[in-house]
Amino acid sequence: MTELVTQETTGEASARRDVPLLLSVRGLRVSYRTPRGTMHAVDGASFDVGQAEMLGLVGESGCGKTTAARSLTGVLAGNARVTGGSVTFTGRDLLALDRQDARAIRWTEIAFVPQSAMNSLDPVYRIEAQLLEVLARGNIRGRAARLRARELLDMVGLPHTVLASFPHQLSGGMRQRVAIALALALNPLLVIADEPVTALDVIVQREVLDTMRDLQRRLHVSVIMITHDISVVAYCCDSIAVMYAGQVVESGPSAVLLGQAAHPYTMGLCNAFPDLERAADLLVPIQGSPPDLHEPPTGCRFAARCPFALERCAQEPPPLTEIAPGHRAACWRSGEAAALRVRATEASTWMP
Amino acid sequence: MSATTVVTVSWRRQARDPYFIAGISIYLAFLLIAVFADQIAPNAPKDILFLDNGSLANALPPSAQFPLGTTTSGCDIFSQLVHGSQSALIVGISAAFVVVSVGTLVGLLAGYFGGFVDAALMRIADIALGIPLLPFVIVLAAFLGPTTWNVVLAMSLLLWPNSARIIRAQVLSLRERAYIEAARTAGSGHFRILFHHIAPNILPLALLFGSIAIGWAILTEASVSFLGFADPDTTTWGFMLQDAYVSQALSRGLYNWFVPPGICIVLMVSAGFFISRSYEQFLFPRLRD
Amino acid sequence: MDAMTDTALVEARGLTKHFQSGGATVRAVDGLDFRIDRGETVGLLGESGSGKTTTGRLLLRLTPPSAGEIRFGGADVATMSGPALKRFRTRAQLVFQNPFDALNPRFTMRQSLAEPLINAGVPRSERAERMDAVLRQVHLPDAAGVLANYPHQMSGGQLQRVVLARALILRPDFIVADEPVSMLDVSVRAGILNLMRDVRDEMGLAAIYISHDVTLVRYVCVRTLVMYRGRIVEDGPTEDVVRHPRHPYTQALIAAVPVPRVEQNRAAIPLKPARHGSGDLAVGCGFRDRCPYAFERCFAEKPELRPAGAGHLAACHLDP
């Protein structure tokens, strides 16, 4: 069975700031053609993923995180188009690849665990067949494939009896582990997991997160974990990128971003997550709702809901700038972040 | 994270859909022709006509006087066609109306109440489905006389199960929706829920069946007429086809006789299909992400 | 249990619900005993399959119990009919999980809010005023604008406020809220939870909040019931249950919740691995397959709820 790596804080990982970058996304733009017009789902997102690093891509529904992640694998909806930016993966520009090459790196170098992956397993095939199918894409067949299938199940902590089962015979947590096994089958360099634990119960969620964290460490795989839950990223991610209205508004090592947030949206998000280990303080909502991405506002997108907004904020969009080594924020007032953080902890700041 | 089901009640978009326009245009065209049949058709459909020189105007090719020519008995094909649209619409609309009303009501009750009511209604539906349509029409015609209304009656008695089943399925799924339960906790009784909440959501499906049913009814009536069991006093397109067949129009090359009624039947059935096709987007709303 | 006092608004005794599934009997709810006093907010905590949603539906008589009884204001809920049932429907209301599905998509907000009023026979003249009042109560002051909208024109947070408004419009005594915020975005949840706290304080409603989210229950509820596989395993003041859980399942549950800080407890949860399709639960403790402390008695005898602190009960054979 797996040995769980406990007690390691993410401080060590964040110290490896000089880790070579596996993936570098700059100014990514993805749009959808809808009956109402063009929807700019991702409109200038930039973030990095280092070698053997777990990045948490955090944001609420509609912020563009899933779209951004899917564009990395080249699997986008029919009406979606990448309209700008660059994605550099191990030195190659992913956006410039033709369909053939993009298809080739899927599963072998970049693997995607879709949202509610446990429901995306084919119900009419046994688990072993599904594992073998993916292994065949990497030209692993026959005896070698069957051995590898067993090895993968060991890695995710499932008994070999699962091989003969159909998806509906397994619990949600077990199916999620199968989805993770499928993603790791061909030793990819990067695994993108979209809301991998959202649909799971708390205890199962914890177990799956522990498994993912342990595997990530042992296999030196990079992971992008997409979620809306800050507690989950705090638990297992080395670094975090916060997305809002199609853009990355803040990114940096987990400890730094959560402890010294520099963007008001991040500060607001932290207020919205209750901390079980502390007293039941007042939860403070962020008033209003995200802007309509069919007609994105000029200037900072969070300005309408930001308690610290200046006139400048509504007119000029702040660029994502490095305010400390490895810590980037897109806010005109990031220099006053310490003072703003104090004010952000008070409920009255967020009331209209 | 939030899944939104948006039912776009967008009549404007519906009205711009080419299929919808095509279907509605065909119906409207035939409706106008039927209403103004007497004005449009130069002759009565069964009148035996003579030429100026006194000879029977039979099997004449299309001309200025007879736009589609004449039958072998001397009747004006064009007038028959025009009057035929009247029966077509009467038969089609009345049969469709009854079939849809009965089917919808049965589907609503069976789907909502379940249990004994459902079982009883569905067994009756099975019986109706088990009886073959044309032989039944023939038998009914034999007992009650071969009138158009008896054909409508026969169709009404046998064709409602299809719509009933599909509507029942829709009701079964709607019944479990949260807002129906909300109505129950708000104190609404069964019939209020059925007719105030569920029925409006069923209506588009019912209308869908309506548009298809018109075409089916016309087709069925044409089949019955073609087999010779139609009302001899009214002129229908099916009757024209039967007449043409019996008079060996094909071997005589009288295409102007049987092709037009055939095309008209095809148009009416297609119109129903076009309208139902345009309903798809309305009936099966997309999940907005 | 000791004698029920007059302050109990809702009482469940031996509440049981069985379902038939492919020949096997599923014990969704298996002999629940609990009470909710007037004005008390109780949390019902449990994971999927624990039977918590079924319990909520039983309480509102949306499904009949297989055994046991529920008393509301002293009267047996399952046997109510006619005017008594109508009255019950005005006194006990439900707040749904999915705000996008809880309102009829073809109705305006006005029509949806009018429904309970019409059914309760509230005269037309009064309806507008009550709608305005309840919308103000849920912090949607622009009544005219909101009432004219259809569900697809509103955000999740607004919709959930309307759902709450619809539940409150008849001034009920008791509310069942089933995962009221799980489908809302995080930054919106806080607003709805605060609203629920306010409503709790203003109206003195009794309520039961059904959720798998410990932090939600802790935020809104004074007392918490923990359910596992159809049974209540712990019952006590929320702070006590969260800080000093007595039942091994609750202990594992609390330990498993992540917090939004990098410095947190990452110790492995000491549960034995879940086995799929464990045996018949009729005998013994439902948690025995996963419990790290299970011994022979746990397999033979079903543990009853026993005192484990002030007002705090736990169903476990271990001594506290």
Side-chain angles (χ1 to χ4, degrees):
Chain A
M1 286 287 151
T2 61
E3 312 114 41
L4 294 174
V5 177
T6 58
Q7 254 72 53
E8 179 182 321
T9 67
T10 52
E12 292 176 26
S14 58
R16 287 183 272 135
R17 270 293 99 199
D18 48 351
V19 140
L21 291 180
L22 179 70
L23 177 77
S24 181
V25 177
R26 291 279 174 278
L28 182 63
R29 286 185 158 70
V30 184
S31 312
Y32 286 95
R33 268 176 301 129
T34 70
R36 282 177 54 201
T38 314
M39 210 259 281
H40 305 278
V42 181
D43 206 3
S46 307
F47 58 89
D48 298 325
V49 183
Q51 298 272 13
E53 185 183 56
M54 195 186 284
L55 168 77
L57 193 55
V58 175
E60 299 178 295
S61 62
C63 72
K65 55 193 193 294
T66 302
T67 307
R70 279 182 173 266
S71 64
L72 298 176
T73 61
V75 181
L76 281 174
N79 59 338
R81 294 276 176 278
V82 176
T83 52
S86 74
V87 176
T88 316
F89 178 69
T90 59
R92 291 166 288 173
D93 184 0
L94 279 188
L95 300 178
L97 290 180
D98 61 36
R99 289 183 65 163
Q100 190 91 318
D101 296 333
R103 209 165 169 270
I105 58 168
R106 232 173 278 152
W107 291 115
T108 54
E109 292 183 56
I110 300 183
F112 190 71
V113 181
Q115 200 162 16
S116 198
M118 46 194 205
N119 288 329
S120 62
L121 292 175
D122 197 327
V124 300
Y125 290 104
R126 295 181 202 270
I127 302 301
E128 182 168 30
Q130 305 200 38
L131 282 169
L132 292 180
E133 186 187 340
V134 173
L135 290 169
R137 292 205 73 210
N139 284 318
I140 305 179
R141 295 189 168 83
R143 195 154 181 280
R146 278 195 289 279
L147 276 176
R148 175 77 177 146
R150 279 158 179 70
E151 192 182 40
L152 286 168
L153 287 187
D154 286 337
M155 282 201 302
V156 296
L158 287 172
H160 292 182
T161 49
V162 163
L163 287 170
S165 306
F166 287 97
H168 67 265
Q169 295 172 311
L170 305 176
S171 70
M174 294 169 92
R175 279 181 277 173
Q176 193 65 12
R177 288 170 195 268
V178 169
I180 295 170
L182 281 171
L184 294 173
L186 297 173
N187 282 319
L189 296 168
L190 174 68
V191 173
I192 303 175
D194 194 351
E195 304 273 13
V197 293
T198 303
L200 301 175
D201 290 325
V202 172
I203 294 181
V204 178
Q205 172 180 288
R206 169 69 160 241
E207 290 169 346
V208 171
L209 284 179
D210 285 341
T211 305
M212 285 181 75
R213 195 164 154 71
D214 173 56
L215 283 174
Q216 189 255 323
R217 295 289 156 95
R218 281 200 291 145
L219 301 175
H220 299 291
V221 175
S222 296
V223 175
I224 298 179
M225 184 178 299
I226 302 169
T227 176
H228 66 283
D229 191 337
I230 284 222
S231 304
V232 164
V233 299
Y235 183 74
C236 60
C237 294
D238 302 310
S239 57
I240 300 175
V242 179
M243 279 190 78
Y244 182 78
Q247 297 171 330
V248 172
V249 296
E250 187 165 3
S251 64
S254 303
V256 171
L257 193 130
L258 292 174
Q260 292 135 49
H263 192 283
Y265 178 63
T266 315
M267 298 177 205
L269 266 191
C270 290
N271 279 342
F273 277 93
D275 190 336
L276 201 63
E277 287 169 18
R278 301 225 169 117
D281 298 326
L282 190 64
L283 288 178
V284 187
I286 307 178
Q287 305 290 343
S289 33
D292 182 359
L293 291 178
H294 282 93
E295 286 149 12
T298 46
C300 175
R301 297 192 174 184
F302 190 60
R305 303 168 77 187
C306 182
F308 311 123
L310 305 167
E311 249 192 62
R312 184 187 191 194
C313 299
Q315 288 153 3
E316 275 179 76
L320 191 65
T321 38
E322 183 139 341
I323 57 175
H327 184 186
R328 301 193 195 116
C331 180
W332 292 122
R333 302 184 72 173
S334 52
E336 313 162 49
L340 296 182
R341 270 198 298 276
V342 173
R343 285 176 58 192
T345 55
E346 288 155 33
S348 52
T349 311
W350 297 93
M351 302 300 183
Chain B
M1 236 193 101
S2 44
T4 321
T5 335
V6 175
V7 179
T8 41
V9 187
S10 169
W11 286 111
R12 249 176 264 133
R13 192 138 47 93
Q14 180 89 350
R16 265 188 264 134
D17 183 43
Y19 279 105
F20 187 72
I21 295 175
I24 285 288
S25 311
I26 295 176
Y27 277 153
L28 277 178
F30 278 111
L31 185 65
L32 286 171
I33 292 174
V35 166
F36 295 109
D38 292 325
Q39 282 78 4
I40 300 174
N43 302 298
K46 303 256 192 215
D47 272 1
I48 299 177
L49 304 163
F50 295 90
L51 294 170
D52 295 329
N53 59 10
S55 62
L56 184 65
N58 63 330
L60 294 175
S63 64
Q65 189 184 9
F66 304 117
L68 286 174
T70 60
T71 68
T72 51
S73 323
C75 301
D76 178 10
I77 293 176
F78 180 69
S79 304
Q80 287 193 335
L81 197 69
V82 167
H83 279 99
S85 66
Q86 280 183 331
S87 338
L89 280 176
I90 292 174
V91 166
I93 292 177
S94 38
F97 181 77
V98 176
V99 164
V100 168
S101 310
V102 174
T104 304
L105 198 61
V106 169
L108 276 174
L109 294 174
Y112 185 77
F113 289 109
F116 178 71
V117 173
D118 184 20
L121 287 172
M122 285 299 108
R123 293 298 78 74
I124 298 176
D126 286 341
I127 294 174
L129 279 174
I131 300 176
L133 181 61
L134 287 177
F136 183 73
V137 171
I138 294 169
V139 167
L140 206 66
F143 277 103
L144 300 177
T147 65
T148 318
W149 290 112
N150 287 336
V151 175
V152 172
L153 176 67
M155 286 194 279
S156 307
L157 286 173
L158 295 188
L159 290 184
W160 58 265
N162 284 313
S163 49
R165 284 209 169 160
I166 306 238
I167 290 193
R168 171 181 172 273
Q170 182 82 331
V171 172
L172 281 177
S173 82
L174 277 181
R175 194 177 63 170
E176 306 306 320
R177 299 291 287 273
Y179 58 85
I180 300 294
E181 248 184 10
R184 226 177 287 155
T185 56
S188 298
H190 288 308
F191 284 99
R192 186 179 163 84
I193 291 180
L194 209 41
F195 292 108
H196 190 55
H197 285 275
I198 295 187
N201 283 293
I202 294 294
L203 221 46
L205 201 56
L207 290 177
L208 169 70
F209 271 106
S211 34
I212 296 181
I214 294 179
W216 272 104
I218 294 173
L219 206 52
T220 307
E221 188 281 324
S223 318
V224 169
S225 302
F226 187 74
L227 290 174
F229 292 97
D231 188 342
D233 295 326
T234 46
T235 312
T236 67
W237 295 328
F239 170 80
M240 290 174 70
L241 288 173
Q242 198 248 358
D243 200 15
Y245 175 71
V246 159
S247 314
Q248 295 167 322
L250 181 59
S251 51
R252 289 196 194 187
L254 297 171
Y255 296 100
N256 54 303
W257 191 352
F258 56 84
V259 168
I263 291 180
C264 287
I265 295 174
V266 166
L267 280 176
M268 282 297 269
V269 175
S270 302
F273 172 71
F274 289 151
I275 293 181
S276 72
R277 181 80 168 63
S278 78
Y279 259 135
E280 258 179 23
Q281 60 170 4
F282 182 74
L283 278 178
F284 305 111
R286 310 237 168 266
L287 280 163
R288 178 156 59 91
D289 198 43
Chain C
M1 297 199 72
D2 48 353
M4 303 288 179
T5 66
D6 294 321
T7 53
L9 180 64
V10 179
E11 280 173 49
R13 280 188 238 213
L15 187 59
T16 306
K17 180 73 182 177
H18 292 168
F19 291 107
Q20 292 300 115
S21 167
T25 306
V26 176
R27 293 186 155 74
V29 174
D30 198 14
L32 298 188
D33 292 308
F34 64 90
R35 54 181 282 178
I36 302 173
D37 290 334
R38 285 183 201 286
E40 193 182 22
T41 44
V42 174
L44 186 56
L45 196 57
E47 300 191 324
S48 56
S50 61
K52 59 189 197 302
T53 299
T54 310
T55 305
R57 303 189 71 224
L58 284 167
L59 286 177
L60 285 176
R61 203 195 138 134
L62 288 170
T63 186
S66 308
E69 63 173 16
I70 304 171
R71 292 192 164 270
F72 184 81
D76 186 350
V77 168
T79 57
M80 278 185 195
S81 64
L85 182 57
K86 266 201 116 166
R87 205 165 123 66
F88 174 65
R89 288 264 174 260
T90 65
R91 294 180 65 194
Q93 286 294 316
L94 176 59
V95 175
F96 293 80
Q97 178 174 7
N98 186 349
F100 299 96
D101 208 33
L103 295 164
N104 193 326
R106 290 172 189 282
F107 287 179
T108 57
M109 298 296 109
R110 173 174 276 116
Q111 287 171 297
S112 290
L113 280 178
E115 181 111 20
L117 295 175
I118 293 173
N119 287 323
V122 171
R124 200 176 281 265
S125 49
E126 267 184 55
R127 286 183 209 161
E129 191 192 309
R130 290 183 73 153
M131 285 193 223
D132 281 354
V134 82
L135 283 177
R136 255 177 285 127
Q137 196 178 11
V138 298
H139 302 311
L140 285 176
D142 175 26
V146 167
L147 289 173
N149 281 342
Y150 286 94
H152 68 267
Q153 294 169 301
M154 297 175 62
S155 72
Q158 289 173 314
L159 282 176
Q160 196 63 317
R161 286 171 197 267
V162 174
V163 170
L164 188 57
R166 181 176 60 184
L168 296 175
I169 202 166
L170 288 178
R171 315 216 111 241
D173 299 316
F174 178 54
I175 290 223
V176 175
D178 191 349
E179 301 278 13
V181 294
S182 68
M183 301 205 72
L184 300 176
D185 277 331
V186 170
S187 61
V188 176
R189 278 183 204 184
I192 302 293
L193 290 178
N194 286 335
L195 177 60
M196 289 182 172
R197 262 190 170 183
D198 291 341
V199 165
R200 170 192 77 182
D201 296 335
E202 279 168 33
M203 293 179 79
L205 281 179
I208 184 165
Y209 286 90
I210 302 172
S211 181
H212 66 279
D213 187 340
V214 182
T215 51
L216 154 69
V217 164
R218 195 241 196 139
Y219 194 67
V220 190
C221 306
V222 169
R223 192 156 66 88
T224 298
L225 304 168
V226 182
M227 271 186 86
Y228 183 77
R229 294 185 90 173
R231 296 187 187 153
I232 295 182
V233 297
E234 194 151 353
D235 178 348
T238 306
E239 277 304 302
D240 232 17
V241 171
V242 167
R243 286 191 195 282
H244 308 290
R246 298 274 180 238
H247 193 281
Y249 172 69
T250 318
Q251 289 167 349
L253 193 61
I254 303 292
V257 177
V259 297
R261 277 175 296 113
V262 170
E263 301 297 322
Q264 57 178 300
N265 172 31
R266 291 185 172 81
I269 310 295
L271 290 184
K272 287 192 267 181
R275 280 187 308 137
H276 195 62
S278 26
D280 186 16
L281 261 194
V283 179
C285 173
F287 193 56
R288 62 180 186 252
D289 294 325
R290 303 212 63 191
C291 187
Y293 316 115
F295 55 101
E296 320 82 58
R297 194 174 171 204
C298 305
F299 290 82
E301 194 187 315
K302 172 184 162 176
E304 297 298 328
L305 283 166
R306 300 183 306 165
H312 190 162
L313 303 164
C316 185
H317 291 307
L318 286 176
D319 290 319

